[in-house]
Each structure stands twice: as structure tokens, then as C-alpha cells.
């Protein structure tokens, strides 16, 4: 699924702060709070060991989201 859902074959190759699967989970879980609050809550809830070491910024989330095709969610639904 990962290979079919990214825009470029080079996307999500390197180990970044926000990987492919956490990004998809974060987008699916987002409610209507501010983006930074959603990012912080997601890290604390699902990746507590990383929450202490690092932070996600709105900029890094936005950049990662741009690499994801909308088809990813269609594939998940199927």
C-alpha cells in the first residue's frame, strides 16, 4: 500500500520524524483542534517515547502530507 500511495518513488525512503504510517493514522484521527494540538496529542498518545525526545511541527506535517496521494485513503477503505 505504501508504494501505491506516495507521489514520488523517493518519498518516505528516509527515516523522518513523521513516517508514512504515523502520518496516515494522524490524518485519520484528526478532529477539529488546531494542527499543533493534534500533533502533540498524537505523539503523546501513540508514541510516548518519541514525545519526550522530539516534536512535530506544522511545517513538517504539511511537507509530509504533500507527499501522500489521496488514493491512500481509497486503498485503506478497500
Amino acid at each position: 500500500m505504501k508504494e501505491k500511495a506516495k507521489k514520488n518513488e523517493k518519498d518516505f525512503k528516509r527515516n523522518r520524524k513523521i513516517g508514512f504510517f504515523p502520518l496516515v493514522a494522524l490524518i485519520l484521527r484528526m478532529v477539529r483542534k488546531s494542527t499543533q494540538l493534534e500533533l502533540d496529542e498524537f505523539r503523546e498518545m501513540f508514541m510516548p517515547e518519541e514525545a519526550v525526545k522530539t516534536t512535530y511541527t506544522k511545517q513538517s506535517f504539511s511537507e509530509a502530507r504533500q507527499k501522500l496521494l489521496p488514493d491512500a485513503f481509497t486503498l485503506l477503505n478497500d
Side-chain angles (χ1 to χ4, degrees):
M1 184 199 123
K2 182 178 174 181
E3 295 302 318
K4 294 179 183 177
K6 55 188 185 176
K7 286 188 177 181
N8 189 339
E9 68 181 43
K10 294 180 182 179
D11 292 341
F12 299 107
K13 291 274 185 189
R14 294 175 47 194
N15 191 11
R16 299 283 184 167
K17 285 184 179 181
I18 303 177
F20 178 78
F21 294 108
L23 175 67
V24 172
L26 177 59
I27 292 171
L28 289 174
R29 184 186 174 283
M30 287 187 91
V31 189
R32 292 287 176 197
K33 298 178 186 172
S34 73
T35 303
Q36 192 60 53
L37 282 175
E38 290 286 349
L39 291 169
D40 292 340
E41 284 182 10
F42 179 81
R43 265 188 320 104
E44 290 171 6
M45 197 178 258
F46 296 103
M47 296 182 270
E49 66 282 347
E50 286 191 27
V52 176
K53 293 187 266 183
T54 185
T55 60
Y56 289 171
T57 61
K58 291 189 292 185
Q59 179 76 23
S60 64
F61 172 69
S62 179
E63 288 174 5
R65 192 177 58 196
Q66 293 299 316
K67 296 177 183 180
L68 190 63
L69 288 173
D71 298 343
F73 302 100
T74 304
L75 291 169
L76 277 173
N77 193 37
D78 290 341

